[in-house]
Amino acid sequence: MPTDTPSPTDQLLIDRAFRHGFTMSAKLLEVRTSRQLLPSNISGGGLGRCQGSTSRLAPESFDLVLGACIPPERAPDVH
């Protein structure tokens, strides 16, 4: 289901991209994952504190997300 609000695990990847000077959004992350350019989150098999399902990132996600980002020179100007 498409969403503009990233999951907590997806937010970790978005934050990592930002810290390295890249642009990544929840939508772009979803597209990259659906095209199998990034691994899917691994189901945690339980319920979180707010009773939603839990998941964790595949270990290689932190490195792969940087290759799946929009380079700064191609990012849309938001100012």
Side-chain angles (χ1 to χ4, degrees):
M1 173 183 218
T3 180
D4 290 334
T5 305
S7 70
T9 52
D10 289 347
Q11 187 63 51
L12 291 172
L13 294 177
I14 293 168
D15 291 345
R16 177 170 171 80
F18 179 78
R19 284 192 310 274
H20 283 83
F22 292 101
T23 299
M24 177 61 73
S25 66
K27 178 64 179 171
L28 184 58
L29 191 57
E30 181 181 345
V31 169
R32 299 293 197 251
T33 302
S34 70
R35 292 182 181 166
Q36 298 180 343
L37 297 172
L38 292 170
S40 298
N41 291 344
I42 301 167
S43 175
L47 297 177
R49 283 191 247 164
C50 296
Q51 302 303 306
S53 63
T54 60
S55 64
R56 59 187 172 88
L57 294 168
E60 62 272 20
S61 296
F62 288 102
D63 292 328
L64 292 173
V65 72
L66 298 179
C69 291
I70 297 174
E73 63 274 5
R74 295 192 55 210
D77 187 13
V78 294
H79 299 288

